[in-house]
Amino acid sequence: MPSFSSLHKVNHNADDMFRLVADVEQYPQFVPLCQDLHIRGRKDLGDGRTVLVADMTVAYKLFKETFTSRVELRPEERTILVEYLDGPFKHLENKWTFEDADEETCSVGFYISYEFRSRTLGSLMGVMFDKAFRKFSSAFEARADQVYGT
């Protein structure tokens, strides 16, 4: 099963980066391959945690697919967990972590594992997904610079 992980130090604090990644509705503006994102529902779980159910449409050339995920925002832990619900994948799991290094910098951890239902689709999209995931860190860092300043 394909997976990708990175740990990237950025010049923003962990709380700001958590808020930026948690603001999923803004993804179509800057996340590679994300063409559209729609929140189906939002539920407060108490103790600061929130769950979103979101539809994300990813597109590249002739390829366009929409999938549904459950996104759990855990601000106290500075963690975001994404669990796949429906779409072209057999499996999709994603986790973000944010840890302050000092007052002005933090480490952003990103992990994703996935498997397409169709082997054909997996072989067509695998290389492109891998390239996109490698650009995620820089896309979020550039967005943080835009939102919070450098």
Side-chain angles (χ1 to χ4, degrees):
M1 182 175 326
S3 66
F4 176 80
S5 65
S6 69
L7 186 61
H8 187 72
K9 188 174 180 179
V10 298
N11 292 320
H12 300 282
N13 68 53
D15 289 331
D16 285 347
M17 290 305 296
F18 175 88
R19 280 191 299 277
L20 185 110
V21 176
D23 190 8
V24 298
E25 291 149 309
Q26 301 304 312
Y27 284 14
Q29 294 180 31
F30 69 96
V31 173
L33 306 180
C34 181
Q35 184 179 65
D36 190 31
L37 196 136
H38 172 73
I39 302 293
R40 282 192 191 186
R42 184 182 307 260
K43 182 179 180 182
D44 181 4
L45 298 178
D47 67 10
R49 294 180 305 138
T50 303
V51 167
L52 312 172
V53 174
D55 292 329
M56 179 187 270
T57 301
V58 294
Y60 179 76
K61 295 186 179 181
L62 299 175
F63 169 82
K64 183 177 177 179
E65 289 286 344
T66 300
F67 63 95
T68 305
S69 298
R70 176 187 185 274
V71 181
E72 185 172 339
L73 308 173
R74 298 178 176 180
E76 295 297 319
E77 299 170 27
R78 294 182 182 141
T79 302
I80 298 172
L81 303 173
V82 181
E83 187 179 317
Y84 175 71
L85 297 176
D86 188 41
F89 296 95
K90 185 176 188 177
H91 165 84
L92 176 79
E93 180 183 356
N94 175 220
K95 180 178 182 178
W96 290 89
T97 59
F98 310 88
E99 188 174 321
D100 278 324
D102 56 42
E103 288 184 17
E104 297 178 4
T105 65
C106 76
S107 292
V108 177
F110 174 77
Y111 169 80
I112 190 162
S113 67
Y114 65 95
E115 183 177 1
F116 285 97
R117 288 188 197 279
S118 158
R119 257 194 201 143
T120 305
L121 186 59
S123 60
L124 287 172
M125 299 306 298
V127 171
M128 187 266 308
F129 263 55
D130 188 55
K131 285 181 184 177
F133 295 144
R134 293 183 189 284
K135 293 179 182 179
F136 269 33
S137 292
S138 58
F140 280 93
E141 185 173 9
R143 177 67 175 180
D145 289 348
Q146 182 182 24
V147 171
Y148 303 120
T150 53

